[in-house]
Amino acid sequence: DGSARIVIVGMDSIPDTVGALARAPDGVKLVLVHDPAYARDTLAAGGNVVLSGHLHGGQVVPLSSGLRWRVGFIAGLYQVDNGWVYVGEGTLGSWLTRARLGTLSEIAVVDLTGPG
């Protein structure tokens, strides 16, 4: 019938998430990972789509150029090997200050569709 099972996986730590992926039933694995620094590990462990946040889009963009170098992601949708990573910019929360420069608060809507 063309339908697919979506398995949602999310844990507090990366070892727990990798273990949960190993035990997850067959299907498309949607993984919730707070810090996108772990997205590649999550995909390598069997995840198909990673939803993440943590970086607030860089929060103060001129000062955050090192984040892209350290993490590889700041905000938006990325194709990584055979999977996808989406890093949301977050809503009102922020790190140390409520100020943002060069990035906006967001609430993302993610539509999952099959191939083709």
Side-chain angles (χ1 to χ4, degrees):
D1 67 12
S3 64
R5 177 187 296 200
I6 297 176
V7 180
I8 300 173
V9 178
M11 303 293 284
D12 289 336
S13 71
I14 288 305
D16 290 343
T17 302
V18 169
L21 282 167
R23 295 185 305 275
D26 290 339
V28 175
K29 293 174 180 70
L30 173 68
V31 187
L32 309 176
V33 176
H34 180 76
D35 189 340
Y38 303 109
R40 285 182 180 11
D41 295 335
T42 302
L43 293 171
N48 302 105
V49 178
V50 175
L51 300 180
S52 191
H54 183 62
L55 301 176
H56 303 276
Q59 190 170 343
V60 180
V61 172
L63 303 177
S64 64
S65 61
L67 286 175
R68 187 176 303 276
W69 173 79
R70 182 183 72 81
V71 177
F73 317 106
I74 290 183
L77 182 64
Y78 302 85
Q79 185 169 11
V80 179
D81 300 323
N82 293 323
W84 292 91
V85 176
Y86 181 79
V87 182
E89 296 192 41
T91 55
L92 298 175
S94 56
W95 180 70
L96 292 181
T97 179
R98 296 188 67 83
R100 289 179 182 241
L101 179 62
T103 184
L104 300 172
S105 296
E106 74 170 349
I107 297 175
V109 176
V110 178
D111 291 321
L112 301 174
T113 60

